[in-house]
Amino acid sequence: MTDQQTPPPPPVETTPPVVVQPASDSRLEQLLAEWSAKKPQLDALKAEVDTLSKSIKAETMRAAPEGSPEAIVRSPFLDLPLRVYPRTEWRLDAKAMKAEDPQTYVKWARSSTSWRMESVK
């Protein structure tokens, strides 16, 4: 291993996942039934709200005087006014850093684990 290479990751055990079949009328079965019914509705609403948000931002900035750094939108349809403003974020390009300076990447990289839930095909 040269100074420019990242150490290999530790071996990962490949234990197959456990299959859980909820008991009839169990709390898990009830939750799954409710989730299954609401998930498609939520996905559709998220897409609709995202489209509305993008359109509201664009229309607000068209309605604001040119060069305005931000705008406050008031409407009888809103419980609270909306603030529309630009926000710049900085993100680290981990892939480029790992390729160009692997020692720094290894020094600052942190591992985190969280539970995910997704449909299996």
Side-chain angles (χ1 to χ4, degrees), residues 7-92:
V12 178
E13 289 187 30
T14 56
T15 305
V18 174
V19 176
V20 175
Q21 182 70 40
S24 182
D25 292 329
S26 69
R27 173 83 171 127
L28 178 55
E29 185 178 69
Q30 293 167 4
L31 292 169
L32 291 169
E34 189 173 351
W35 180 84
S36 180
K38 292 184 177 180
K39 181 72 165 89
Q41 297 168 9
L42 176 62
D43 292 343
L45 281 174
K46 280 183 178 179
E48 191 176 334
V49 168
D50 185 49
T51 299
L52 286 168
S53 295
K54 288 176 182 177
S55 297
I56 289 168
K57 290 175 199 174
E59 292 299 320
T60 298
M61 294 322 295
R62 275 193 209 99
E66 190 173 329
S68 298
E70 64 180 74
I72 303 293
V73 181
R74 297 183 189 278
S75 168
F77 296 104
L78 298 172
D79 293 333
L80 295 170
L82 295 175
R83 179 177 170 226
V84 178
Y85 62 98
R87 184 172 109 183
T88 302
E89 294 181 356
W90 287 83
R91 296 184 189 259
L92 189 61

Side-chain angles (χ1 to χ4, degrees), residues 1-7 102-103:
M1 181 169 70
T2 67
D3 288 341
Q4 294 299 315
Q5 292 179 336
T6 303
Q103 288 178 329

